Amino acid sequence: MTGTVGLAGDKSISHRYALLAALATGRSTIAQYSQGADCGSTLDCLAAAGVEVRRTRSANNGLTVEIQGRGLRGLREAASPLDAQNSGTTMRLLSGILAAHPFTSVLVGDASLTHRPMGRVIAPLELMGARIESNDKRPPLTIHGSGLKGINYKTEVPSAQIKSAVLLAGLQADGTTVVEESAATRNHTELALRAFGATVHVSGNTIALAGGQPLSGGAFVVPGDISSAAFWVAAAAAIPGSDVEIHNVGLNPTRIALLDVLRRGGALVDQSVDREAGGEPSGRVRVRYGAPRSLILGADQVPYLIDEIPALAAWASLGGELHVTGAGELRVKESDRISALVRGFQALGADVEEFSDGFHLRGSRRLRGGRADAAGDHRLAMAFAIAALGADSPSIITGADSVAISYPEFFSTLESLCDPS
């Protein structure tokens, strides 16, 4: 596998820029916005809540989004339920915003999202003064918004989405909101708040935000998605003779644990920062094959790798070894990501054992190929596709169209890297 990869915008950052642009005053332009369906769901929900959203595409800049902000607590009551489709980020972060608005909102999603737990976002928002009805702590959510008050909140498990929902509610609340994380998570919300003009105080794992701070629109550029790049990083690290360079990739220190982990696993990984905008560094990553070594990941490392574990599993299936524990959160992603991952890799011929909070995958034998079910999970579809590159026989991945959720260009990019001529 050889060649270069240019990435579309980061999914996590795209969500946050769009939501904050809606709460700002003035017009915001967001270049290189993620073209995945999840980030499109955020834009659709904002438009349904009265936000003016304009999308344009070009060969050079990909998707550019213009948003006319409505100010804090400036959204309108939607005429019908707001549909987050498959996007848990949309539902959780938008819940934080809507909780501060003086009307009732209904948030719905697709079959997968309807089964995902929302109790950890409901609890702090109700402590702040909102009232939220749910189906046993699952969607649909009916949010009866009101004037909120700031709270001191300690997260039960590390979750950037829960932290972000509380901070977005706190931005529109009376007083100061403090979030203490049980372990540090990606800090895109804190950086984005500052980029839009808010003052955010961070000390260790504690974040404090005074309510009522006005935001100002502006021009923003979203760096490339490191979680999408993870699959090319894993493939190049695992396949002998590989040399892949990824351009325009986000290199936020809270998101690049994968690079250090694969270095420990034997890969040759170089990185360099080319620019920084809105506090978000971006640059280039070059990955070359290195003789694989066994990797053990525990609860202290998993929060920094939660989206990249499927890519690491693909790496392990191609000659490495990966032992993961402390990853129970994977069971409440787009799928039960532990069980579906284990079943899929077993179907391709891997030696893999399932635990309640993780798995152990040994790449000591060559995959035979087969039919793997991605269970509608975009990250599993991409992981199985990378693993299938090393199989003796062709493989079929059912549910592979789910890659459109985060990375619509995945299969065309894969084809170009496997046949760079």
Side-chain angles (χ1 to χ4, degrees), residues 91 106-109 114 132-135 137-142:
M91 181 167 284
V106 178
L107 284 170
V108 299
T114 299
I132 302 177
E133 300 173 41
S134 66
N135 180 19
K137 308 300 183 184
R138 287 172 167 76
L141 303 182
T142 300

Side-chain angles (χ1 to χ4, degrees), residues 2 38 59 65 80 82 93 107 164 210 245 256 259 277 300-301 308 312 362 374 411 420:
T2 60
D38 275 7
V65 174
S80 58
L82 299 170
L93 271 60
L107 284 170
S164 299
E245 187 165 296
I256 58 175
L259 304 182
D300 58 332
Q301 298 175 76
E308 290 74 49
L312 285 169
R362 305 170 187 86
F411 283 108

Side-chain angles (χ1 to χ4, degrees), residues 144-192:
H144 303 282
S146 66
L148 303 181
K149 63 180 184 298
I151 59 170
N152 286 22
Y153 192 74
K154 184 173 182 176
T155 59
E156 297 176 3
V157 298
S159 170
Q161 291 183 10
I162 304 308
K163 170 182 67 176
S164 299
V166 175
L167 291 175
L168 289 169
L171 178 68
Q172 305 172 95
D174 291 332
T176 296
T177 292
V178 179
V179 178
E180 182 182 349
E181 296 193 273
S182 52
T185 62
R186 58 187 64 176
N187 66 349
H188 298 308
T189 299
E190 297 95 305
L191 294 177

Side-chain angles (χ1 to χ4, degrees), residues 161-322:
Q161 291 183 10
I162 304 308
K163 170 182 67 176
S164 299
V166 175
L167 291 175
L168 289 169
L171 178 68
Q172 305 172 95
D174 291 332
T176 296
T177 292
V178 179
V179 178
E180 182 182 349
E181 296 193 273
S182 52
T185 62
R186 58 187 64 176
N187 66 349
H188 298 308
T189 299
E190 297 95 305
L191 294 177
L193 282 162
R194 288 172 177 158
F196 278 86
T199 298
V200 183
H201 298 283
V202 178
S203 177
N205 293 352
T206 301
I207 305 99
L209 176 69
Q213 299 184 64
L215 306 181
S216 299
F220 304 91
V221 180
V222 181
D225 195 329
I226 185 67
S227 295
S228 295
F231 296 94
W232 313 129
V233 172
I239 299 173
S242 292
D243 188 345
V244 172
E245 187 165 296
I246 305 163
H247 297 170
N248 181 42
V249 62
L251 294 173
N252 182 308
T254 67
R255 292 284 299 283
I256 58 175
L258 170 78
L259 304 182
D260 291 331
V261 167
L262 281 176
R263 286 189 187 101
R264 291 196 343 246
L268 304 176
V269 183
D270 301 309
Q271 67 197 66
S272 61
V273 173
D274 296 333
R275 66 188 298 270
E276 182 174 308
E280 296 283 0
S282 62
R284 291 170 286 174
V285 173
R286 183 185 179 193
V287 188
R288 289 164 289 164
Y289 170 80
R293 298 190 287 265
S294 297
L295 289 172
I296 299 174
L297 303 178
D300 58 332
Q301 298 175 76
V302 164
Y304 306 100
L305 294 159
I306 196 70
D307 287 337
E308 290 74 49
I309 286 174
L312 285 169
W315 167 84
S317 75
L318 297 173
E321 182 175 1
L322 180 64

Side-chain angles (χ1 to χ4, degrees), residues 44-174:
D44 292 342
C45 287
L46 289 174
V51 179
E52 180 186 331
V53 178
R54 182 170 177 263
R55 308 176 219 204
T56 57
R57 288 177 170 83
S58 70
N60 292 331
N61 296 319
L63 177 60
T64 296
V65 174
E66 293 183 38
I67 294 176
Q68 181 63 47
R70 297 187 59 86
L72 299 182
R73 294 180 293 277
L75 302 188
R76 294 176 181 166
E77 184 173 1
S80 58
L82 299 170
D83 192 351
Q85 296 289 331
N86 188 255
S87 178
T89 303
T90 301
M91 181 167 284
R92 293 189 177 101
L93 271 60
L94 194 55
S95 293
I97 289 175
L98 292 171
H101 284 73
F103 49 73
T104 296
S105 305
V106 178
L107 284 170
V108 299
D110 66 8
S112 171
L113 185 55
T114 299
H115 288 93
R116 294 180 68 178
M118 295 290 156
R120 290 202 299 267
V121 74
I122 292 172
L125 295 180
E126 290 195 327
L127 288 174
M128 298 177 83
R131 182 167 64 88
I132 302 177
E133 300 173 41
S134 66
N135 180 19
D136 192 23
K137 308 300 183 184
R138 287 172 167 76
L141 303 182
T142 300
I143 301 171
H144 303 282
S146 66
L148 303 181
K149 63 180 184 298
I151 59 170
N152 286 22
Y153 192 74
K154 184 173 182 176
T155 59
E156 297 176 3
V157 298
S159 170
Q161 291 183 10
I162 304 308
K163 170 182 67 176
S164 299
V166 175
L167 291 175
L168 289 169
L171 178 68
Q172 305 172 95
D174 291 332

